[in-house]
Amino acid sequence: MPRENRKRGKKIKKKPENGYENQPVPALPESEPTGEPSWIRSAPIEGPETPEFNPEAPFGYVDVDVKAYFRTVDVQMRDWQEQENRTVDEDTDPNEERRLFFMAALTEMGGKEKELATDPDCSFILERMTYSMDDFVRRVFMDSLSGSFEVLVRHRFASHVCQTLFSAASETISRESRGVFPAVPESSDKGELRTLTQLVLDATEELIPSFSSLIMDPFASHVVRALLALLSPNISASSIAGQGAMRSKKSAAWKAKQGPMKSVFADEKGKGKEVAAQLRPAKFQALARRLVHVLRTELGENEVRALAANQVASPGLQMLLEVEADCELASDPNSLMDRVMVGIISAVANDPDTTVEPSDYLNTLLRDPTSSHLLETIVSRSPGPAFACLWAAYFTGKLARLANHPVANFVLAKALERVSVEQLSEACVELDGTWNKLITSSRSGVLRAAIDRSGTLQAAEVLICEAVYSAFDLVTAEDRTLLVPCVLRLLPLQAYKASLNAKVDPGPQQPPHKQRGRPEAGAPSDPNGPKIQGSILLQSLLRLPAPHNEIVIANITALPMEERIKMTHDASGSRVYDVLLESPTVPSKSKRELVMSFIGHYHLLVDDRLGSRVGDRCWAFADTYLKEKIARSLFIHEQFLAGSFYGKFFARNLNLYLLQRRPDEWKTMQADRKRAQDAPTKAIPAALAPTPSIDFDTTPQPAKRKRHGYADDEIDAVFNASLGKRMKKAALGDIALVPTLPSKEEVSRKGQAPDTLQAVLGAIQSAPKDDKGHRKKRRQ
């Protein structure tokens, strides 16, 4: 700024507008001594200046640096899980580095468990870490969450952490029930660490006051289901086998994108790891009964029925009905099941011969996509007299409509699994004329359930066979020869014949391309090809008693060999052969005929990913005599099997080389394998049985000494003496090397040739090489 433009005088500082700059800071009031320990602090008094409670972060936000660190932890753990199948150095422990890294992450997590659990980016990282925690760390982690479970299970992200923790706690609690406890380090500044069993009991006690509202909470309901599965391990596997019972479809799809959730330590994984029986303390069952009584007390009849129609609460109520049935409480009047069944259990308890009027509520449950799953649990777990009354009131006389309904047919199929012989016969008669409509609409569950129930009761087999013929329009004996192709494709007879005519392709045919490995997910499938439902129907028919399963066995035997091999190469069709070879109701004669029918075609059978598995099952069933016939039929196809991508594994199991050279030893080996396979204590499949130690080394061996039982051929000896080791013979990789022939010097040194032969050899050597005589030597 030029000097002439400057103004003289002092600069005037601007005063703050609010005037708060120089105000003194009020001193904080000193806390008065109360006689309590110094680490106890009183809760702050809520006032107008107190920050509002944030439901998204009830325990505060995670620091940015801490969040970035746990992202690196997640990336490292995923990388270790992807490197699971890679080879590692045997001299170093692969878990040492991982344990040090994991302990550092746990140290960083200390004191921030609740903040991390409620964070949207770190919650699933805690879930991944939970599977790698040992028993002691799980106890510490759950102890850090104690006292806040009611807030955590209602949180959008922390609820999944609680659910994973309850699911992973099952193994630890089972070990604690056996008296196996980890070593706990002693520390003076911390109190006694509770066992995980006691921590689960305390967490459940914390949730009991609000249990009836948690089951209807969209975030807490799946935690309640995980807790019920932990407290009552006897819940039927069908209720918790699918992810739908524990997680919603949206949650399961999101979790699948996060990669595998399992331990990163090498000693805790593997397909061969034995899963011990899950044990639970007696207090768990008592606590499960208490949860049922809490819901009975706090909710009325109409409120319980409203839970059945609620999309969030219905799966939880379904598991509570399972717990109630396991605790033998379902037969009590006014039980949860009695309320859902509109008093049928109470009515039957008062009068066993009573009949009830159908309720509009249960009729709605039959046809509702959400509530029908609950009704399936009711028809499978309700007491016997109550089920008989339910069948008479809601199913008898309405089977045709229910079987054709897109939702009610599943409930009817589940109900058919409990019917008596009389009820099954009446159902088959009532559904006569309706079976064909079920197959046309691809609703085969009712027919499958009827076949399975007939096999269990061993009754009404004739009605079931006629129902199968009627379902696929197989009237004459000639039509019934096409039973297996029609049932496997789930097509009536006329539709199956039309599909055969439609397969005629006028265009140029391309050579078939054999795909290796699993088919791609987006690959188009043949709409008229074999279907899973059709394969299940054939498997159920094969489990019928012996005279009645012949309709399938004879039909399979009558199929052309090309069609049978094509059936073994299909994922659905190959399962039919598995049941045929494993079912105890199929006669051994029929199994043997099936195995023998493939002789001469085994090289084509095992030249496929699925067909090779069927070939292994046939080989495992066959006895030593039949195995020898199969193996000898494959001598001419040995090179074909060696070049097959899948057949080479089948050929390796046959040991054709040993059979060709030492048949007696091969028979002994196969007999030992069969004996070990049939032993009850060593049920080892033949394909997985250990192979006896047989040397197939291709390293050069010393020349074998010829046997002295017979004299050598003179002509061979002459050529051997003349050529020596210049004659070479090629050998295949799978065949043992041919020993080199001995030279003239070795023969003369060992004295193996007779004296007359030595004289002949000497005369040959002394004779001139040609008729021209020797050339004169050139003078030097």
Side-chain angles (χ1 to χ4, degrees):
M1 187 175 190
R3 182 180 296 270
E4 58 271 11
N5 294 335
R6 294 180 183 177
K7 294 182 180 181
R8 300 180 65 182
K10 296 182 178 180
K11 294 182 179 180
I12 301 175
K13 296 182 179 181
K14 294 183 179 180
K15 296 181 180 181
E17 297 179 358
N18 298 331
Y20 296 143
E21 184 174 326
N22 297 325
Q23 289 185 2
V25 179
L28 296 175
E30 297 182 358
S31 57
E32 299 179 358
T34 58
E36 297 180 348
S38 59
W39 53 269
I40 296 180
R41 296 286 186 270
S42 58
I45 302 174
E46 296 183 359
E49 299 181 358
T50 304
E52 297 181 358
F53 174 76
N54 188 359
E56 294 184 0
F59 305 100
Y61 292 96
V62 181
D63 187 69
V64 178
D65 296 335
V66 176
K67 188 181 296 187
Y69 171 74
F70 277 96
R71 286 200 188 100
T72 61
V73 172
D74 182 60
V75 171
Q76 182 62 67
M77 294 183 69
R78 289 193 183 191
D79 184 56
W80 280 333
Q81 290 174 348
E82 292 175 359
Q83 297 177 359
E84 175 183 358
N85 298 326
R86 298 183 184 178
T87 57
V88 295
D89 189 4
E90 297 181 356
D91 298 336
T92 60
D93 186 8
N95 295 328
E96 187 64 27
E97 178 187 359
R98 302 181 183 185
R99 292 188 189 280
L100 294 175
F101 180 85
F102 196 69
M103 289 303 298
L106 292 175
T107 305
E108 183 65 29
M109 188 180 69
K112 310 180 187 68
E113 293 88 352
K114 298 177 184 179
E115 293 88 339
L116 293 171
T118 54
D119 187 79
D121 298 328
C122 298
S123 60
F124 70 91
I125 302 177
L126 287 189
E127 292 186 61
R128 191 184 305 279
M129 295 176 64
T130 303
Y131 291 99
S132 300
M133 294 179 181
D134 57 10
D135 295 348
F136 174 73
V137 177
R138 285 175 184 170
R139 289 165 60 181
V140 174
F141 181 41
M142 191 163 185
D143 184 68
S144 64
L145 303 180
S146 296
S148 305
F149 273 106
E150 185 176 357
V151 179
L152 291 172
V153 298
R154 293 178 183 271
H155 193 269
R156 177 182 179 184
F157 302 105
S159 60
H160 295 290
V161 178
C162 297
Q163 179 184 3
T164 303
L165 183 58
F166 286 142
S167 301
S170 175
E171 298 178 0
T172 303
I173 292 175
S174 181
R175 284 189 286 268
E176 290 181 354
S177 301
R178 294 186 178 91
V180 180
F181 295 92
V184 180
E186 297 181 359
S187 57
S188 58
D189 57 338
K190 297 181 180 180
E192 181 182 358
L193 181 63
R194 293 170 288 178
T195 62
L196 196 60
T197 302
Q198 187 61 40
L199 287 169
V200 171
L201 293 174
D202 295 343
T204 308
E205 292 287 347
E206 184 181 344
L207 298 177
I208 282 179
S210 56
F211 181 74
S212 57
S213 62
L214 292 178
I215 198 173
M216 293 180 286
D217 189 272
F219 299 129
S221 59
H222 55 88
V223 185
V224 170
R225 298 198 292 270
L227 181 60
L228 290 173
L230 180 63
L231 296 178
S232 181
N234 297 327
I235 294 178
S236 61
S238 60
S239 63
I240 61 176
Q243 288 290 337
M246 305 302 295
R247 288 181 176 267
S248 63
K249 292 182 179 180
K250 183 179 180 181
S251 175
W254 184 87
K255 189 176 181 180
K257 296 179 181 179
Q258 306 306 316
M261 292 284 186
K262 54 187 177 181
S263 177
V264 298
F265 299 112
D267 56 350
E268 300 178 4
K269 52 193 174 184
K271 294 183 179 179
K273 184 179 178 182
E274 296 182 359
V275 179
Q278 299 293 332
L279 298 180
R280 295 291 183 273
K283 295 181 180 179
F284 276 24
Q285 188 176 10
L287 194 57
R289 296 169 65 98
R290 184 179 172 189
L291 292 177
V292 174
H293 285 294
V294 166
L295 204 65
R296 285 184 183 180
T297 306
E298 296 184 358
L299 299 182
E301 295 184 0
N302 294 331
E303 292 174 324
V304 172
R305 293 168 191 163
L307 295 180
N310 190 299
Q311 193 172 5
V312 174
S314 181
L317 180 60
Q318 180 180 346
M319 295 194 69
L320 280 169
L321 293 180
E322 294 270 0
V323 173
E324 189 179 49
D326 286 335
C327 297
E328 299 180 356
L329 301 174
S331 302
D332 298 343
N334 202 29
S335 63
L336 294 178
M337 188 171 292
D338 186 30
R339 298 179 187 181
V340 178
M341 295 179 68
V342 200
I344 291 181
I345 295 178
S346 302
V348 173
N350 297 329
D351 184 8
D353 299 331
T354 185
T355 56
V356 296
E357 293 292 330
S359 170
D360 295 338
Y361 173 74
L362 283 181
N363 283 326
T364 305
L365 295 187
L366 269 170
R367 296 165 175 82
D368 184 65
T370 301
S371 307
S372 60
H373 298 282
L374 180 69
L375 196 56
E376 289 182 30
T377 303
I378 290 175
V379 298
S380 59
R381 301 304 302 270
S382 59
F387 172 77
C389 183
L390 183 70
W391 175 267
Y394 294 93
F395 293 95
T396 303
K398 309 171 186 176
L399 296 181
R401 286 183 297 168
L402 296 177
N404 282 291
H405 195 272
V407 175
N409 72 92
F410 295 101
V411 184
L412 176 59
K414 186 66 69 173
L416 283 173
E417 297 176 1
R418 288 196 61 186
V419 295
S420 61
V421 176
E422 182 181 359
Q423 291 170 342
L424 179 61
S425 301
E426 293 176 355
C428 291
V429 173
E430 184 177 347
L431 290 172
D432 188 20
T434 313
W435 300 113
N436 182 262
K437 298 179 182 178
L438 301 182
I439 299 302
T440 305
S441 58
S442 299
R443 297 189 179 106
S444 59
V446 176
L447 180 59
R448 189 266 313 156
I451 297 173
D452 290 342
R453 189 57 179 171
S454 175
T456 303
L457 299 175
Q458 295 187 358
E461 296 93 343
V462 178
L463 293 175
I464 292 297
C465 293
E466 292 297 329
V468 173
Y469 288 140
S470 173
F472 294 93
D473 294 335
L474 304 174
V475 181
T476 63
E478 182 181 359
D479 296 341
R480 294 178 180 181
T481 57
L482 299 175
L483 172 68
V484 171
C486 291
V487 176
L488 186 60
R489 290 161 179 80
L490 215 66
L491 294 174
L493 179 62
Q494 298 301 326
Y496 172 69
K497 291 182 177 180
S499 66
L500 291 180
N501 297 331
K503 283 185 179 181
V504 179
D505 188 8
Q509 295 184 355
Q510 298 179 355
H513 173 67
K514 184 175 288 296
Q515 182 181 5
R516 295 182 179 179
R518 296 183 180 273
E520 298 180 1
S525 58
D526 185 9
N528 295 326
K531 297 180 177 60
I532 298 177
Q533 293 83 359
S535 176
I536 294 175
L537 282 178
L538 290 176
Q539 296 172 40
S540 300
L541 288 171
L542 286 171
R543 294 188 180 97
L544 291 175
H548 306 282
N549 56 17
E550 288 292 334
I551 61 174
V552 179
I553 299 173
N555 205 281
I556 292 177
T557 308
L559 288 175
M561 182 55 62
E562 182 182 357
E563 184 69 23
R564 291 163 62 183
I565 292 179
K566 184 179 178 181
M567 183 176 169
T568 60
H569 293 177
D570 183 77
S572 302
S574 62
R575 297 296 180 181
V576 179
Y577 287 95
D578 295 345
V579 177
L580 196 152
L581 293 171
E582 294 177 354
S583 176
T585 59
V586 177
S588 299
K589 180 181 178 182
S590 301
K591 299 178 181 179
R592 187 178 181 86
E593 290 177 355
L594 174 70
V595 175
M596 293 184 63
S597 64
F598 283 116
I599 293 179
H601 305 277
Y602 271 97
H603 62 289
L604 300 176
L605 172 66
V606 300
D607 188 25
D608 183 77
R609 177 176 62 92
L610 300 168
S612 60
R613 187 176 56 83
V614 178
D616 289 337
R617 290 188 179 273
C618 293
W619 181 262
F621 167 78
D623 54 9
T624 305
Y625 172 75
L626 192 53
K627 286 180 179 179
E628 184 179 1
K629 293 189 66 176
I630 295 173
R632 291 189 180 278
S633 68
L634 292 173
F635 282 167
I636 58 177
H637 305 291
E638 187 174 1
Q639 299 302 322
F640 178 85
L641 292 176
S644 173
F645 187 80
Y646 300 101
K648 60 184 178 182
F649 301 104
F650 181 77
R652 186 182 303 172
N653 193 35
L654 266 60
N655 288 332
L656 297 179
Y657 167 76
L658 184 63
L659 178 60
Q660 291 174 343
R661 268 68 177 179
R662 291 170 283 177
D664 294 336
E665 184 177 343
W666 184 90
K667 294 178 183 179
T668 304
M669 182 187 69
Q670 298 299 334
D672 293 341
R673 282 188 179 184
K674 187 68 175 177
R675 194 178 302 111
Q677 174 189 352
D678 297 339
T681 57
K682 296 181 180 180
I684 304 176
L688 302 178
T691 305
S693 58
I694 303 174
D695 294 335
F696 292 102
D697 295 337
T698 57
T699 55
Q701 302 288 341
K704 296 182 180 180
R705 181 176 298 175
K706 292 188 176 182
R707 298 179 182 177
H708 298 282
Y710 52 88
D712 296 333
D713 189 11
E714 296 181 1
I715 299 178
D716 292 340
V718 169
F719 279 100
N720 294 341
S722 302
L723 297 176
K725 293 185 178 181
R726 286 179 291 172
M727 183 174 62
K728 299 179 180 179
K729 293 185 178 180
L732 295 175
D734 297 337
I735 304 176
L737 292 178
V738 179
T740 58
L741 296 174
S743 62
K744 178 180 66 174
E745 291 79 4
E746 293 176 354
V747 173
S748 61
R749 182 173 66 253
K750 294 182 180 180
Q752 293 180 347
D755 296 339
T756 56
L757 182 59
Q758 292 291 346
V760 173
L761 293 175
I764 292 175
Q765 290 180 355
S766 61
K769 299 299 181 180
D770 49 15
D771 297 338
K772 295 181 180 180
H774 296 284
R775 292 182 180 180
K776 294 182 179 180
K777 291 185 179 180
R778 200 170 190 179
R779 292 184 179 181
Q780 300 293 338

